[in-house]
Amino acid sequence: MKRTVICNIPMKRDIANSVYTSEDSTLPVCEVSVKYPVNAVLGKILSEGDQVKVLLLVKKDHNDYYVANTQAFIDELNQINNDINTNLEYVTIETDFDEDKIVHDKLMGSLVDAIDTESHLIVDITFGPKDLPLVVFSALQFAEKFLDCQIDNIIYGQGFFNEKNEVIKTKLCDMSPLYYLNSVTNMITCREPDKARKMLKNLLSF
């Protein structure tokens, strides 16, 4: 199977390992301690012979923590892949840590250039600044419409903390329904506010 994995790389240092659980039968995970939630999923679903391109989205922080974090992802997935023997290709897409239209446009262009056509997409939006998911969602819409891609999962690693701000539990959430909310809105063609609200609620109830 041809897969494209998209993962936001964090800008902070010392990313903690966690064993992620999943309450979603469509989001299986392997019981391994990882820094990046998507790797727990990949360890469960990858098969020998898969063609996997991993797009690592990097915001260049001033402390250069992204350098070690990027390598940590590669090392982690390579270790998991030792028992699978799938074909991995890593592509790093770097942009400045700046909320500027030029930066966003560059990231969008680089993303759509790097996504393989007719591939299954798995996205991890756990880490990174707030602008990244917005740009990624736009790129996913392009990939679905023009590149014949299929979105399998959009992953978020949720953490639960105690009063000492220590992680006591982690689980994976599939954010695909949130992504498709925008598509639902686009289906509504109505200029009457009350009618449009009713139509939206009816669509969401399906």
Short mmCIF file of all heavy atoms in Angstrom, two decimals, residues 107-175:
data_model
loop_
_atom_site.label_atom_id
_atom_site.label_comp_id
_atom_site.label_asym_id
_atom_site.label_seq_id
_atom_site.Cartn_x
_atom_site.Cartn_y
_atom_site.Cartn_z
N LEU A 107 4.47 26.76 3.01
CA LEU A 107 4.18 25.45 3.60
C LEU A 107 3.11 24.73 2.79
O LEU A 107 3.24 23.53 2.49
CB LEU A 107 3.73 25.61 5.05
CG LEU A 107 3.29 24.33 5.76
CD1 LEU A 107 4.39 23.28 5.76
CD2 LEU A 107 2.85 24.64 7.19
N MET A 108 2.06 25.44 2.42
CA MET A 108 0.98 24.83 1.63
C MET A 108 1.53 24.30 0.31
O MET A 108 1.24 23.16 -0.08
CB MET A 108 -0.11 25.88 1.39
CG MET A 108 -1.26 25.40 0.53
SD MET A 108 -2.29 24.18 1.36
CE MET A 108 -3.60 24.02 0.14
N GLY A 109 2.31 25.10 -0.38
CA GLY A 109 2.87 24.69 -1.66
C GLY A 109 3.79 23.49 -1.53
O GLY A 109 3.75 22.56 -2.35
N SER A 110 4.64 23.51 -0.50
CA SER A 110 5.58 22.40 -0.29
C SER A 110 4.83 21.12 0.05
O SER A 110 5.23 20.02 -0.38
CB SER A 110 6.56 22.75 0.83
OG SER A 110 7.34 23.87 0.49
N LEU A 111 3.76 21.23 0.83
CA LEU A 111 2.98 20.06 1.22
C LEU A 111 2.33 19.38 0.02
O LEU A 111 2.45 18.17 -0.16
CB LEU A 111 1.91 20.47 2.23
CG LEU A 111 2.11 20.06 3.68
CD1 LEU A 111 0.96 20.57 4.54
CD2 LEU A 111 2.23 18.56 3.82
N VAL A 112 1.63 20.16 -0.79
CA VAL A 112 0.93 19.55 -1.93
C VAL A 112 1.91 19.00 -2.96
O VAL A 112 1.59 18.04 -3.68
CB VAL A 112 -0.06 20.54 -2.58
CG1 VAL A 112 -1.12 20.97 -1.58
CG2 VAL A 112 0.65 21.75 -3.16
N ASP A 113 3.11 19.56 -3.03
CA ASP A 113 4.14 19.02 -3.92
C ASP A 113 4.66 17.68 -3.41
O ASP A 113 5.02 16.80 -4.20
CB ASP A 113 5.31 19.99 -4.06
CG ASP A 113 5.00 21.15 -4.99
OD1 ASP A 113 4.01 21.05 -5.75
OD2 ASP A 113 5.73 22.16 -4.96
N ALA A 114 4.69 17.51 -2.09
CA ALA A 114 5.31 16.32 -1.50
C ALA A 114 4.34 15.16 -1.32
O ALA A 114 4.77 14.01 -1.22
CB ALA A 114 5.92 16.68 -0.14
N ILE A 115 3.04 15.43 -1.28
CA ILE A 115 2.06 14.35 -1.09
C ILE A 115 1.97 13.51 -2.36
O ILE A 115 1.74 14.04 -3.45
CB ILE A 115 0.68 14.92 -0.73
CG1 ILE A 115 0.72 15.62 0.63
CG2 ILE A 115 -0.38 13.81 -0.71
CD1 ILE A 115 -0.57 16.34 1.01
N ASP A 116 2.17 12.22 -2.22
CA ASP A 116 2.08 11.32 -3.36
C ASP A 116 0.63 11.15 -3.80
O ASP A 116 -0.27 11.03 -2.97
CB ASP A 116 2.66 9.95 -3.02
CG ASP A 116 4.18 9.97 -2.97
OD1 ASP A 116 4.79 10.88 -3.59
OD2 ASP A 116 4.77 9.08 -2.33
N THR A 117 0.41 11.10 -5.11
CA THR A 117 -0.92 10.86 -5.63
C THR A 117 -1.38 9.45 -5.29
O THR A 117 -0.57 8.54 -5.15
CB THR A 117 -0.96 11.05 -7.16
OG1 THR A 117 -0.03 10.16 -7.77
CG2 THR A 117 -0.61 12.49 -7.53
N GLU A 118 -2.68 9.30 -5.15
CA GLU A 118 -3.32 8.00 -4.88
C GLU A 118 -2.73 7.30 -3.66
O GLU A 118 -2.55 6.08 -3.65
CB GLU A 118 -3.21 7.10 -6.11
CG GLU A 118 -3.89 7.67 -7.35
CD GLU A 118 -3.78 6.75 -8.55
OE1 GLU A 118 -2.95 5.82 -8.53
OE2 GLU A 118 -4.53 6.96 -9.52
N SER A 119 -2.44 8.08 -2.64
CA SER A 119 -1.91 7.49 -1.41
C SER A 119 -2.91 7.62 -0.27
O SER A 119 -3.82 8.45 -0.30
CB SER A 119 -0.58 8.14 -1.01
OG SER A 119 -0.75 9.51 -0.73
N HIS A 120 -2.74 6.76 0.72
CA HIS A 120 -3.54 6.82 1.94
C HIS A 120 -2.83 7.75 2.93
O HIS A 120 -1.64 7.57 3.21
CB HIS A 120 -3.70 5.43 2.54
CG HIS A 120 -4.59 4.54 1.75
ND1 HIS A 120 -5.86 4.18 2.17
CD2 HIS A 120 -4.42 3.94 0.54
CE1 HIS A 120 -6.42 3.40 1.28
NE2 HIS A 120 -5.57 3.22 0.27
N LEU A 121 -3.55 8.73 3.45
CA LEU A 121 -2.95 9.76 4.29
C LEU A 121 -3.22 9.50 5.77
O LEU A 121 -4.35 9.22 6.16
CB LEU A 121 -3.49 11.14 3.91
CG LEU A 121 -3.34 11.56 2.44
CD1 LEU A 121 -3.91 12.95 2.24
CD2 LEU A 121 -1.88 11.52 2.02
N ILE A 122 -2.17 9.61 6.56
CA ILE A 122 -2.26 9.55 8.01
C ILE A 122 -1.57 10.79 8.56
O ILE A 122 -0.40 11.05 8.22
CB ILE A 122 -1.58 8.28 8.57
CG1 ILE A 122 -2.20 7.03 7.96
CG2 ILE A 122 -1.69 8.24 10.10
CD1 ILE A 122 -1.49 5.76 8.35
N VAL A 123 -2.27 11.55 9.39
CA VAL A 123 -1.76 12.83 9.85
C VAL A 123 -1.74 12.88 11.37
O VAL A 123 -2.68 12.42 12.03
CB VAL A 123 -2.65 13.99 9.32
CG1 VAL A 123 -2.06 15.34 9.71
CG2 VAL A 123 -2.82 13.89 7.81
N ASP A 124 -0.64 13.42 11.92
CA ASP A 124 -0.52 13.60 13.37
C ASP A 124 -0.39 15.09 13.65
O ASP A 124 0.61 15.72 13.28
CB ASP A 124 0.72 12.85 13.89
CG ASP A 124 0.81 12.86 15.42
OD1 ASP A 124 0.19 13.72 16.05
OD2 ASP A 124 1.53 12.00 15.97
N ILE A 125 -1.41 15.68 14.29
CA ILE A 125 -1.41 17.11 14.59
C ILE A 125 -1.21 17.38 16.08
O ILE A 125 -1.54 18.46 16.57
CB ILE A 125 -2.70 17.79 14.11
CG1 ILE A 125 -3.93 17.17 14.79
CG2 ILE A 125 -2.84 17.70 12.59
CD1 ILE A 125 -5.22 17.94 14.53
N THR A 126 -0.63 16.42 16.79
CA THR A 126 -0.46 16.57 18.24
C THR A 126 0.40 17.76 18.60
O THR A 126 0.07 18.54 19.51
CB THR A 126 0.17 15.29 18.82
OG1 THR A 126 -0.64 14.16 18.50
CG2 THR A 126 0.30 15.41 20.34
N PHE A 127 1.51 17.93 17.90
CA PHE A 127 2.47 18.97 18.26
C PHE A 127 2.45 20.12 17.24
O PHE A 127 1.79 20.05 16.21
CB PHE A 127 3.88 18.38 18.32
CG PHE A 127 4.02 17.26 19.30
CD1 PHE A 127 4.24 15.95 18.86
CD2 PHE A 127 3.94 17.48 20.67
CE1 PHE A 127 4.40 14.90 19.76
CE2 PHE A 127 4.07 16.44 21.58
CZ PHE A 127 4.30 15.15 21.12
N GLY A 128 3.23 21.15 17.55
CA GLY A 128 3.40 22.26 16.63
C GLY A 128 2.52 23.45 16.97
O GLY A 128 1.58 23.35 17.77
N PRO A 129 2.80 24.61 16.36
CA PRO A 129 2.02 25.82 16.62
C PRO A 129 0.61 25.72 16.03
O PRO A 129 0.30 24.82 15.23
CB PRO A 129 2.83 26.92 15.92
CG PRO A 129 3.62 26.21 14.87
CD PRO A 129 3.92 24.85 15.44
N LYS A 130 -0.24 26.66 16.41
CA LYS A 130 -1.66 26.58 16.09
C LYS A 130 -1.97 26.75 14.61
O LYS A 130 -3.03 26.31 14.14
CB LYS A 130 -2.42 27.65 16.89
CG LYS A 130 -2.29 27.51 18.40
CD LYS A 130 -2.83 26.17 18.88
CE LYS A 130 -2.78 26.06 20.40
NZ LYS A 130 -1.44 25.92 20.94
N ASP A 131 -1.08 27.36 13.85
CA ASP A 131 -1.37 27.57 12.44
C ASP A 131 -1.22 26.30 11.61
O ASP A 131 -1.83 26.16 10.54
CB ASP A 131 -0.48 28.67 11.86
CG ASP A 131 1.01 28.32 11.92
OD1 ASP A 131 1.42 27.69 12.91
OD2 ASP A 131 1.75 28.68 10.99
N LEU A 132 -0.43 25.35 12.09
CA LEU A 132 -0.13 24.16 11.29
C LEU A 132 -1.36 23.34 10.92
O LEU A 132 -1.53 22.98 9.75
CB LEU A 132 0.90 23.28 12.01
CG LEU A 132 2.37 23.62 11.76
CD1 LEU A 132 3.28 22.67 12.53
CD2 LEU A 132 2.71 23.56 10.28
N PRO A 133 -2.25 23.01 11.87
CA PRO A 133 -3.43 22.21 11.47
C PRO A 133 -4.28 22.90 10.41
O PRO A 133 -4.84 22.23 9.54
CB PRO A 133 -4.20 22.05 12.78
CG PRO A 133 -3.17 22.18 13.85
CD PRO A 133 -2.21 23.21 13.33
N LEU A 134 -4.37 24.23 10.44
CA LEU A 134 -5.17 24.95 9.45
C LEU A 134 -4.58 24.78 8.05
O LEU A 134 -5.31 24.52 7.08
CB LEU A 134 -5.25 26.43 9.81
CG LEU A 134 -5.91 26.77 11.15
CD1 LEU A 134 -5.84 28.26 11.43
CD2 LEU A 134 -7.35 26.30 11.17
N VAL A 135 -3.27 24.91 7.95
CA VAL A 135 -2.61 24.74 6.65
C VAL A 135 -2.69 23.28 6.21
O VAL A 135 -2.95 22.98 5.04
CB VAL A 135 -1.14 25.21 6.71
CG1 VAL A 135 -0.45 24.98 5.37
CG2 VAL A 135 -1.06 26.68 7.10
N VAL A 136 -2.48 22.37 7.14
CA VAL A 136 -2.54 20.94 6.82
C VAL A 136 -3.92 20.56 6.33
O VAL A 136 -4.07 19.82 5.34
CB VAL A 136 -2.14 20.09 8.05
CG1 VAL A 136 -2.44 18.62 7.80
CG2 VAL A 136 -0.65 20.26 8.35
N PHE A 137 -4.98 21.04 6.99
CA PHE A 137 -6.34 20.72 6.56
C PHE A 137 -6.60 21.21 5.14
O PHE A 137 -7.27 20.53 4.34
CB PHE A 137 -7.36 21.32 7.52
CG PHE A 137 -7.58 20.52 8.77
CD1 PHE A 137 -6.67 19.57 9.19
CD2 PHE A 137 -8.72 20.71 9.54
CE1 PHE A 137 -6.88 18.82 10.34
CE2 PHE A 137 -8.95 19.96 10.69
CZ PHE A 137 -8.02 19.02 11.09
N SER A 138 -6.08 22.39 4.80
CA SER A 138 -6.24 22.90 3.43
C SER A 138 -5.52 22.00 2.44
O SER A 138 -6.04 21.72 1.35
CB SER A 138 -5.70 24.33 3.34
OG SER A 138 -6.44 25.21 4.15
N ALA A 139 -4.33 21.54 2.81
CA ALA A 139 -3.58 20.65 1.93
C ALA A 139 -4.29 19.31 1.76
O ALA A 139 -4.29 18.72 0.68
CB ALA A 139 -2.17 20.43 2.49
N LEU A 140 -4.94 18.83 2.83
CA LEU A 140 -5.68 17.58 2.75
C LEU A 140 -6.87 17.71 1.80
O LEU A 140 -7.18 16.78 1.04
CB LEU A 140 -6.17 17.16 4.13
CG LEU A 140 -5.10 16.78 5.16
CD1 LEU A 140 -5.75 16.35 6.47
CD2 LEU A 140 -4.18 15.69 4.64
N GLN A 141 -7.54 18.86 1.85
CA GLN A 141 -8.66 19.08 0.93
C GLN A 141 -8.18 19.04 -0.51
O GLN A 141 -8.84 18.47 -1.39
CB GLN A 141 -9.33 20.42 1.24
CG GLN A 141 -10.11 20.43 2.54
CD GLN A 141 -10.76 21.77 2.82
OE1 GLN A 141 -10.25 22.81 2.42
NE2 GLN A 141 -11.89 21.75 3.51
N PHE A 142 -7.03 19.65 -0.77
CA PHE A 142 -6.45 19.62 -2.12
C PHE A 142 -6.11 18.19 -2.53
O PHE A 142 -6.39 17.77 -3.66
CB PHE A 142 -5.18 20.49 -2.15
CG PHE A 142 -4.55 20.58 -3.51
CD1 PHE A 142 -4.88 21.61 -4.37
CD2 PHE A 142 -3.61 19.63 -3.93
CE1 PHE A 142 -4.30 21.70 -5.64
CE2 PHE A 142 -3.03 19.71 -5.19
CZ PHE A 142 -3.37 20.74 -6.04
N ALA A 143 -5.50 17.44 -1.61
CA ALA A 143 -5.09 16.06 -1.91
C ALA A 143 -6.29 15.18 -2.21
O ALA A 143 -6.25 14.32 -3.11
CB ALA A 143 -4.29 15.49 -0.74
N GLU A 144 -7.38 15.36 -1.47
CA GLU A 144 -8.59 14.59 -1.72
C GLU A 144 -9.20 14.92 -3.08
O GLU A 144 -9.61 14.02 -3.83
CB GLU A 144 -9.64 14.88 -0.63
CG GLU A 144 -9.55 14.01 0.59
CD GLU A 144 -10.79 14.13 1.44
OE1 GLU A 144 -11.17 15.24 1.82
OE2 GLU A 144 -11.40 13.08 1.73
N LYS A 145 -9.23 16.20 -3.40
CA LYS A 145 -9.94 16.65 -4.59
C LYS A 145 -9.15 16.44 -5.87
O LYS A 145 -9.72 16.08 -6.91
CB LYS A 145 -10.30 18.13 -4.43
CG LYS A 145 -11.19 18.68 -5.54
CD LYS A 145 -11.64 20.09 -5.22
CE LYS A 145 -12.59 20.62 -6.31
NZ LYS A 145 -13.06 22.00 -6.00
N PHE A 146 -7.82 16.65 -5.80
CA PHE A 146 -7.03 16.67 -7.02
C PHE A 146 -5.98 15.57 -7.13
O PHE A 146 -5.48 15.30 -8.23
CB PHE A 146 -6.33 18.03 -7.16
CG PHE A 146 -7.28 19.19 -7.24
CD1 PHE A 146 -7.41 20.07 -6.18
CD2 PHE A 146 -8.05 19.41 -8.38
CE1 PHE A 146 -8.29 21.14 -6.25
CE2 PHE A 146 -8.93 20.48 -8.45
CZ PHE A 146 -9.05 21.35 -7.39
N LEU A 147 -5.62 14.93 -6.02
CA LEU A 147 -4.54 13.93 -6.05
C LEU A 147 -5.06 12.51 -5.83
O LEU A 147 -4.25 11.59 -5.68
CB LEU A 147 -3.49 14.27 -4.98
CG LEU A 147 -2.87 15.68 -5.05
CD1 LEU A 147 -1.83 15.86 -3.95
CD2 LEU A 147 -2.26 15.96 -6.41
N ASP A 148 -6.37 12.35 -5.77
CA ASP A 148 -6.97 11.03 -5.58
C ASP A 148 -6.47 10.34 -4.31
O ASP A 148 -6.24 9.12 -4.29
CB ASP A 148 -6.72 10.12 -6.80
CG ASP A 148 -7.41 10.64 -8.05
OD1 ASP A 148 -8.54 11.15 -7.93
OD2 ASP A 148 -6.83 10.53 -9.14
N CYS A 149 -6.31 11.12 -3.26
CA CYS A 149 -5.84 10.56 -1.98
C CYS A 149 -7.02 10.23 -1.08
O CYS A 149 -8.11 10.79 -1.22
CB CYS A 149 -4.92 11.55 -1.27
SG CYS A 149 -3.32 11.80 -2.08
N GLN A 150 -6.77 9.34 -0.16
CA GLN A 150 -7.78 8.96 0.83
C GLN A 150 -7.24 9.26 2.22
O GLN A 150 -6.14 8.83 2.57
CB GLN A 150 -8.10 7.47 0.71
CG GLN A 150 -9.07 6.97 1.77
CD GLN A 150 -9.39 5.50 1.62
OE1 GLN A 150 -9.62 5.01 0.52
NE2 GLN A 150 -9.38 4.76 2.73
N ILE A 151 -8.02 9.97 3.03
CA ILE A 151 -7.61 10.29 4.39
C ILE A 151 -8.04 9.15 5.31
O ILE A 151 -9.23 8.92 5.50
CB ILE A 151 -8.21 11.62 4.85
CG1 ILE A 151 -7.73 12.76 3.95
CG2 ILE A 151 -7.83 11.91 6.31
CD1 ILE A 151 -8.38 14.08 4.22
N ASP A 152 -7.08 8.46 5.88
CA ASP A 152 -7.38 7.35 6.78
C ASP A 152 -7.60 7.83 8.20
O ASP A 152 -8.59 7.45 8.84
CB ASP A 152 -6.25 6.31 6.74
CG ASP A 152 -6.24 5.52 5.45
OD1 ASP A 152 -7.22 5.61 4.69
OD2 ASP A 152 -5.25 4.81 5.18
N ASN A 153 -6.67 8.63 8.71
CA ASN A 153 -6.78 9.11 10.09
C ASN A 153 -6.11 10.47 10.24
O ASN A 153 -5.09 10.74 9.61
CB ASN A 153 -6.12 8.15 11.09
CG ASN A 153 -6.77 6.79 11.13
OD1 ASN A 153 -6.23 5.82 10.64
ND2 ASN A 153 -7.97 6.71 11.71
N ILE A 154 -6.70 11.29 11.08
CA ILE A 154 -6.06 12.52 11.56
C ILE A 154 -5.94 12.35 13.07
O ILE A 154 -6.96 12.33 13.77
CB ILE A 154 -6.85 13.77 11.19
CG1 ILE A 154 -7.03 13.87 9.67
CG2 ILE A 154 -6.17 15.03 11.74
CD1 ILE A 154 -7.93 15.01 9.22
N ILE A 155 -4.73 12.23 13.55
CA ILE A 155 -4.48 11.79 14.92
C ILE A 155 -4.10 12.95 15.84
O ILE A 155 -3.34 13.84 15.46
CB ILE A 155 -3.34 10.74 14.93
CG1 ILE A 155 -3.77 9.50 14.15
CG2 ILE A 155 -2.93 10.38 16.35
CD1 ILE A 155 -2.62 8.58 13.83
N TYR A 156 -4.64 12.89 17.05
CA TYR A 156 -4.22 13.80 18.12
C TYR A 156 -3.98 12.97 19.38
O TYR A 156 -4.83 12.18 19.79
CB TYR A 156 -5.29 14.86 18.39
CG TYR A 156 -4.97 15.74 19.57
CD1 TYR A 156 -3.98 16.72 19.48
CD2 TYR A 156 -5.64 15.59 20.78
CE1 TYR A 156 -3.67 17.53 20.57
CE2 TYR A 156 -5.34 16.39 21.87
CZ TYR A 156 -4.37 17.36 21.75
OH TYR A 156 -4.04 18.15 22.83
N GLY A 157 -2.81 13.14 19.97
CA GLY A 157 -2.48 12.44 21.21
C GLY A 157 -2.91 13.27 22.41
O GLY A 157 -2.29 14.31 22.71
N GLN A 158 -3.95 12.83 23.09
CA GLN A 158 -4.50 13.57 24.23
C GLN A 158 -3.84 13.12 25.52
O GLN A 158 -3.68 11.92 25.76
CB GLN A 158 -6.01 13.35 24.32
CG GLN A 158 -6.69 14.15 25.42
CD GLN A 158 -8.19 13.90 25.46
OE1 GLN A 158 -8.68 12.91 24.94
NE2 GLN A 158 -8.92 14.81 26.08
N GLY A 159 -3.43 14.09 26.33
CA GLY A 159 -2.80 13.79 27.60
C GLY A 159 -3.63 14.28 28.77
O GLY A 159 -4.24 15.35 28.71
N PHE A 160 -3.65 13.48 29.84
CA PHE A 160 -4.34 13.86 31.08
C PHE A 160 -3.28 14.08 32.15
O PHE A 160 -2.39 13.24 32.33
CB PHE A 160 -5.32 12.78 31.50
CG PHE A 160 -6.40 12.51 30.48
CD1 PHE A 160 -6.19 11.63 29.44
CD2 PHE A 160 -7.61 13.17 30.57
CE1 PHE A 160 -7.18 11.38 28.50
CE2 PHE A 160 -8.62 12.94 29.63
CZ PHE A 160 -8.40 12.05 28.59
N PHE A 161 -3.39 15.20 32.88
CA PHE A 161 -2.33 15.61 33.81
C PHE A 161 -2.86 15.65 35.25
O PHE A 161 -4.05 15.90 35.48
CB PHE A 161 -1.79 16.99 33.42
CG PHE A 161 -1.18 17.04 32.04
CD1 PHE A 161 -1.97 17.20 30.92
CD2 PHE A 161 0.20 16.91 31.87
CE1 PHE A 161 -1.42 17.25 29.65
CE2 PHE A 161 0.75 16.96 30.61
CZ PHE A 161 -0.05 17.13 29.50
N ASN A 162 -1.94 15.45 36.20
CA ASN A 162 -2.30 15.61 37.61
C ASN A 162 -1.99 17.02 38.08
O ASN A 162 -1.60 17.88 37.27
CB ASN A 162 -1.58 14.55 38.47
CG ASN A 162 -0.07 14.68 38.39
OD1 ASN A 162 0.48 15.71 37.98
ND2 ASN A 162 0.64 13.63 38.79
N GLU A 163 -2.14 17.27 39.37
CA GLU A 163 -1.92 18.62 39.89
C GLU A 163 -0.48 19.07 39.80
O GLU A 163 -0.17 20.27 39.90
CB GLU A 163 -2.40 18.69 41.36
CG GLU A 163 -1.62 17.82 42.34
CD GLU A 163 -2.09 16.38 42.34
OE1 GLU A 163 -3.03 16.06 41.57
OE2 GLU A 163 -1.52 15.57 43.10
N LYS A 164 0.45 18.13 39.58
CA LYS A 164 1.87 18.48 39.41
C LYS A 164 2.24 18.64 37.93
O LYS A 164 3.41 18.73 37.59
CB LYS A 164 2.75 17.40 40.04
CG LYS A 164 2.57 17.25 41.54
CD LYS A 164 3.48 16.15 42.09
CE LYS A 164 3.30 15.98 43.58
NZ LYS A 164 4.16 14.90 44.12
N ASN A 165 1.21 18.67 37.08
CA ASN A 165 1.40 18.80 35.64
C ASN A 165 2.16 17.61 35.04
O ASN A 165 2.86 17.75 34.05
CB ASN A 165 2.11 20.12 35.28
CG ASN A 165 1.82 20.54 33.86
OD1 ASN A 165 0.72 20.33 33.33
ND2 ASN A 165 2.80 21.14 33.20
N GLU A 166 2.00 16.45 35.67
CA GLU A 166 2.62 15.22 35.17
C GLU A 166 1.58 14.42 34.40
O GLU A 166 0.42 14.33 34.80
CB GLU A 166 3.15 14.39 36.34
CG GLU A 166 4.22 15.08 37.16
CD GLU A 166 4.52 14.34 38.46
OE1 GLU A 166 3.60 13.66 38.98
OE2 GLU A 166 5.65 14.46 38.96
N VAL A 167 2.00 13.85 33.28
CA VAL A 167 1.08 13.06 32.47
C VAL A 167 0.76 11.75 33.19
O VAL A 167 1.66 11.00 33.57
CB VAL A 167 1.68 12.75 31.09
CG1 VAL A 167 0.74 11.88 30.27
CG2 VAL A 167 1.98 14.04 30.33
N ILE A 168 -0.51 11.48 33.40
CA ILE A 168 -0.91 10.25 34.08
C ILE A 168 -1.64 9.29 33.15
O ILE A 168 -1.80 8.11 33.45
CB ILE A 168 -1.80 10.56 35.30
CG1 ILE A 168 -3.03 11.38 34.89
CG2 ILE A 168 -1.01 11.29 36.37
CD1 ILE A 168 -4.02 11.63 36.01
N LYS A 169 -2.10 9.81 31.99
CA LYS A 169 -2.80 8.96 31.04
C LYS A 169 -2.76 9.60 29.66
O LYS A 169 -2.81 10.83 29.54
CB LYS A 169 -4.27 8.77 31.46
CG LYS A 169 -5.10 7.93 30.52
CD LYS A 169 -6.56 7.87 30.97
CE LYS A 169 -7.43 7.10 29.98
NZ LYS A 169 -8.86 7.11 30.38
N THR A 170 -2.61 8.79 28.63
CA THR A 170 -2.63 9.29 27.27
C THR A 170 -3.50 8.39 26.41
O THR A 170 -3.58 7.18 26.63
CB THR A 170 -1.22 9.34 26.66
OG1 THR A 170 -0.61 8.05 26.79
CG2 THR A 170 -0.35 10.39 27.34
N LYS A 171 -4.16 8.99 25.45
CA LYS A 171 -4.94 8.20 24.50
C LYS A 171 -4.96 8.91 23.15
O LYS A 171 -4.71 10.12 23.06
CB LYS A 171 -6.37 7.98 25.00
CG LYS A 171 -7.27 9.19 24.93
CD LYS A 171 -8.72 8.81 25.27
CE LYS A 171 -9.66 9.98 25.10
NZ LYS A 171 -11.07 9.62 25.38
N LEU A 172 -5.26 8.15 22.11
CA LEU A 172 -5.31 8.70 20.76
C LEU A 172 -6.74 9.05 20.39
O LEU A 172 -7.68 8.32 20.70
CB LEU A 172 -4.76 7.69 19.75
CG LEU A 172 -3.26 7.44 19.79
CD1 LEU A 172 -2.84 6.58 18.60
CD2 LEU A 172 -2.49 8.74 19.77
N CYS A 173 -6.88 10.18 19.73
CA CYS A 173 -8.18 10.62 19.23
C CYS A 173 -8.08 10.81 17.72
O CYS A 173 -7.06 11.32 17.22
CB CYS A 173 -8.59 11.95 19.87
SG CYS A 173 -8.61 11.94 21.67
N ASP A 174 -9.11 10.40 17.01
CA ASP A 174 -9.17 10.62 15.57
C ASP A 174 -9.93 11.91 15.31
O ASP A 174 -11.12 12.01 15.61
CB ASP A 174 -9.85 9.44 14.87
CG ASP A 174 -9.74 9.53 13.35
OD1 ASP A 174 -9.23 10.56 12.85
OD2 ASP A 174 -10.16 8.58 12.66
N MET A 175 -9.23 12.90 14.74
CA MET A 175 -9.83 14.21 14.50
C MET A 175 -10.44 14.34 13.11
O MET A 175 -10.81 15.44 12.70
CB MET A 175 -8.77 15.30 14.71
CG MET A 175 -8.04 15.23 16.04
SD MET A 175 -9.15 15.39 17.44
CE MET A 175 -9.53 17.14 17.37
#
